[in-house]
Amino acid sequence: MKTTILYTTLSAIMLLLATACTNEHNEDSDLTPENKQVQFKLNFTDYGEDQEFEGTRASFSKNEVKKQMVDLGNGILAEVTVQRDTTKTTETASAATRAMGNGHYTILAYQGGTCKGEIKGQVYYGTFTPDPGTKDRFRLPHGIYTFVCFNDKVTRSGNQLTITRANAEKAMIGITKNYNINTDTPMEVSFTMKHVGARMRVKLEAYVDFPTPNKTKAVISDAAGNVPVSATYDAATDSYTYTNGTMTTGSYTYTLQGGVGTYNRTAYADTQDYQYFLPTTDGAKLKLAFTDGTIYGRNMAGASLVLNPSPALNMVQSGSYLVKVKLLYHFLYLFSDGTTGLVTESTYGGGTKIPVGVVLSQSKRIAIALKNANNDDDCEWCYSTYWSLAEQKNVSRTNNFAALCNLENGYEETWNASASTDGVTVKGNTPDFQAFYAAGHYDPGTPVSGSLVGKKWYLPAMGEWKYAFATLGLVSKPTITSTYQVTNWTSGSLANFAFRQVGGTDLAGGMVSDNAPNLSMWYWSSSEYSNGYYDQGGIINIRVGGFIWYYNNYAGKRGSSNRGWVRPFIRY
């Protein structure tokens, strides 16, 4: 039988291995190293490289591959996405890449399910050094072979190579199948060394900044006590088996790394602390439990979620997973049938109901429309905004700005003739009163039923805008005492999200640096103010930082000094 003797050669990129794993391989002194050598090359792959989800490469074209929505039970909703994590363990420099594989290695040669040879040695920055006392060659007959290479994080017992979850991070195995040794000239066997385990990290996002120094903390554990705790590869049969058990808890501590800042951004708290798992680990058996921290003023300790996205997350060898948990405030919505509920009851959260507004006050039964009226175009308060004192329009007109900002009679101003000075005009039905008419004829985009039948949208009074400020900004209702008063809220991004997540449009404007479509959003109120010279409509400037309370309008989409947007309210 023709045989080939395999030798070792030391170099920065080649690993040449030698020794015998059985006593059957007698050395042939007639074979010389020059024409009887095989080189072994080890190529190390990082986590996430050549990764497959659900057994298909096609899904790699998608960044976010799995989603789920979880009610945490504390007024917070978690939108969970699982995607491939492209973060590298090392930089791309060749020396650093080779360093990833430093350690002690064993190479086995198999033919027909039988081990024909074994070599052990130390790898350091790509250089292989045989163990002291070993020989520099072993002899293999010509034929088809499978070569198996593994490091010392893998435990061998005969043909069984076992990896525990404790060693899942650094255990590496490379398998080269169907290698044909059919010549006495130098040959090269290459291994693609892969991590046996998979890794996962969890990133938090929110529409408000994460509090410091009280950092958010969480632990990840098995939800059912039934996850892989050891994996065994049978080199003779080329197959894996797994043993399930209880997983040791791993913890995360989050630090704010990116604030909300300005227009429609989320804050994020990240960690590079990975948890390591064995292949076939089912995300539905893993639980992320918060142990400390607050968000949106809600205590996160005790809140938890099981990683059960659809489709299911089943971890693969060398896979790298980034779990993004976007923490969302549980706003209350008004549905087209007159009922109220959370986003999870809506068609946008997996439910069946169609949202038409965001509830601002349950006691007052007030909701704000999801979109601007008038086809999202701005308009005048009425056709003669700069009217004289003799042209007072509202019975409730006042020259006291603090009193103006306490008015909550928007419905009456829009729909009751008695609220008009002439006692006849119903502004909601009069096109000359553009802002009122636009609000009164707002179309939510879907037919209404139930208790909403017969209910009318209206232009809110200045005092009613306080409910929007408090509810959408997660702050208390403000006290307004002077014109052009600024009141700050938690986050305009949070307020905009309340509308966006159910198909609505932004309420707050942004900043030039954010490329916001509208930098200043001025909204009309139904309230009329007299400054001693002119009667003017009360108006609110809503931006990411909060509200500015004023009268008339000095900015608009068309650059007019007398125009503003209309966001209708409804009393449901």
Side-chain angles (χ1 to χ4, degrees):
M1 178 180 290
K2 190 67 175 177
T3 62
T4 296
I5 299 177
L6 311 184
Y7 289 84
T8 64
T9 299
L10 303 181
S11 69
I13 62 173
M14 297 299 186
L15 308 181
L16 309 181
L17 315 171
T19 197
C21 70
T22 73
N23 294 324
E24 302 174 22
H25 303 99
N26 297 319
E27 297 177 18
D28 186 345
S29 59
D30 293 334
L31 300 177
T32 62
E34 287 74 22
N35 63 357
K36 307 295 190 215
Q37 71 175 357
V38 160
Q39 296 178 328
F40 292 87
K41 182 177 181 180
L42 275 65
N43 300 304
F44 295 93
T45 60
D46 204 350
Y47 280 102
E49 295 181 9
D50 195 30
Q51 181 177 343
E52 298 183 15
F53 284 89
E54 300 295 318
T56 172
R57 290 179 177 273
S59 60
F60 278 140
S61 61
K62 301 176 182 179
N63 188 28
E64 294 185 348
V65 295
K66 305 174 191 300
K67 285 190 176 183
Q68 71 179 125
M69 195 77 78
V70 181
D71 187 348
L72 297 181
N74 60 345
I76 304 297
L77 190 69
E79 180 186 81
V80 183
T81 59
V82 182
Q83 65 188 60
R84 177 180 174 180
D85 186 1
T86 58
T87 303
K88 299 297 182 183
T89 301
T90 60
E91 299 299 326
T92 57
S94 59
T97 302
R98 291 195 302 272
M100 180 172 60
N102 288 348
H104 191 262
Y105 285 80
T106 300
I107 293 180
L108 306 177
Y110 274 83
Q111 186 180 53
T114 303
C115 179
K116 297 293 186 178
E118 176 187 28
I119 294 176
K120 294 183 178 181
Q122 192 74 29
V123 175
Y124 184 72
Y125 281 91
T127 298
F128 177 83
T129 303
D131 288 342
T134 62
K135 299 178 181 179
D136 63 353
R137 58 182 178 174
F138 69 85
R139 176 182 174 193
L140 293 175
H142 285 189
I144 305 299
Y145 290 85
T146 292
F147 292 92
V148 180
C149 180
F150 56 92
N151 64 4
D152 275 4
K153 296 300 180 181
V154 179
T155 302
R156 181 190 176 200
S157 177
N159 295 325
Q160 308 293 307
L161 306 182
T162 300
I163 307 95
T164 63
R165 183 174 175 266
N167 288 324
E169 175 184 359
K170 296 183 178 179
M172 302 193 80
I173 291 180
I175 303 171
T176 300
K177 300 178 181 179
N178 300 319
Y179 192 87
N180 188 7
I181 296 180
N182 58 5
T183 177
D184 294 335
T185 58
M187 303 179 70
E188 179 182 277
V189 178
S190 295
F191 291 100
T192 298
M193 303 300 298
K194 294 184 177 181
H195 294 275
V196 176
R199 69 179 187 178
M200 183 180 75
R201 65 187 175 98
V202 181
K203 178 180 179 180
L204 304 182
E205 293 185 36
Y207 283 96
V208 295
D209 288 349
F210 288 87
T212 55
N214 296 325
K215 298 178 180 179
T216 302
K217 297 180 181 179
V219 297
I220 191 162
S221 59
D222 60 292
N226 189 29
V227 297
V229 293
S230 69
T232 299
Y233 174 71
D234 191 322
T237 61
D238 186 31
S239 61
Y240 272 96
T241 57
Y242 299 92
T243 301
N244 289 354
T246 301
M247 186 189 77
T248 303
T249 298
S251 61
Y252 298 101
T253 298
Y254 292 95
T255 301
L256 177 67
Q257 293 183 309
V260 170
T262 49
Y263 182 71
N264 287 348
R265 294 180 182 172
T266 56
Y268 68 94
D270 207 350
T271 175
Q272 294 301 317
D273 294 332
Y274 287 93
Q275 304 294 325
Y276 294 87
F277 306 89
L278 291 171
T280 74
T281 296
D282 183 356
K285 296 178 180 178
L286 299 178
K287 180 173 69 174
L288 180 71
F290 293 91
T291 59
D292 198 4
T294 59
I295 196 73
Y296 306 118
R298 302 299 179 94
N299 184 16
M300 290 299 294
S304 66
L305 60 94
V306 174
L307 299 179
N308 191 24
S310 179
L313 167 62
N314 291 301
M315 298 189 187
V316 298
Q317 180 182 355
S318 202
S320 187
Y321 304 92
L322 172 60
V323 178
K324 289 184 178 181
V325 179
K326 184 180 288 186
L327 300 173
L328 311 174
Y329 185 78
H330 243 341
F331 288 102
L332 192 65
Y333 292 95
L334 174 65
F335 299 122
S336 61
D337 62 358
T339 62
T340 61
L342 304 176
V343 66
T344 48
E345 300 175 55
S346 77
T347 52
Y348 293 88
T352 59
K353 297 188 176 184
I354 300 174
V356 295
V358 182
V359 174
L360 301 181
S361 172
Q362 296 184 69
S363 61
K364 300 279 187 177
R365 299 182 67 81
I366 296 174
I368 184 174
L370 298 180
K371 299 179 181 180
N372 290 335
N374 201 38
N375 295 316
D376 197 27
D377 199 2
D378 56 355
C379 64
E380 295 178 342
W381 196 83
C382 72
Y383 274 123
S384 55
T385 302
Y386 277 106
W387 56 85
S388 70
L389 289 174
E391 294 179 304
Q392 175 183 345
K393 305 300 182 182
N394 290 351
V395 172
S396 61
R397 182 199 69 176
T398 178
N399 60 4
N400 184 319
F401 194 75
L404 184 85
C405 292
N406 285 328
L407 293 174
E408 297 185 9
N409 60 342
Y411 183 88
E412 290 73 22
E413 297 284 10
T414 305
W415 292 111
N416 290 352
S418 60
S420 298
T421 52
D422 63 6
V424 175
T425 300
V426 177
K427 301 185 194 70
N429 283 331
T430 306
D432 280 355
F433 287 87
Q434 290 179 305
F436 294 86
Y437 188 84
H441 289 79
Y442 172 73
D443 181 2
T446 186
V448 297
S449 61
S451 62
L452 280 190
V453 174
K455 298 294 175 65
K456 296 180 179 180
W457 297 90
Y458 66 92
L459 187 65
M462 287 290 276
E464 290 171 303
W465 274 112
K466 292 181 180 181
Y467 294 105
F469 175 82
T471 300
L472 300 174
L474 305 186
V475 290
S476 300
K477 286 177 61 178
T479 298
I480 308 302
T481 59
S482 60
T483 62
Y484 218 75
Q485 183 173 332
V486 177
T487 55
N488 296 320
W489 60 2
T490 303
S491 167
S493 296
L494 173 64
N496 287 342
F497 169 75
F499 299 96
R500 284 189 169 203
Q501 76 165 340
V502 290
T505 57
D506 290 352
L507 184 71
M511 305 288 288
V512 174
S513 59
D514 302 309
N515 297 315
N518 296 303
L519 305 183
S520 291
M521 298 296 293
W522 293 88
Y523 290 94
W524 285 121
S525 77
S526 66
S527 305
E528 185 179 4
Y529 177 69
S530 173
N531 65 357
Y533 301 97
Y534 299 100
D535 284 5
Q536 301 183 15
I539 201 163
I540 309 291
N541 179 217
I542 304 179
R543 56 184 65 188
V544 292
F547 282 29
I548 299 178
W549 307 78
Y550 203 51
Y551 53 88
N552 204 353
N553 184 19
Y554 290 95
K557 186 160 56 179
R558 296 176 183 168
S560 168
S561 61
N562 299 305
R563 305 182 71 87
W565 279 270
V566 173
R567 182 71 68 130
F569 283 29
I570 192 171
R571 294 178 183 175
Y572 61 90

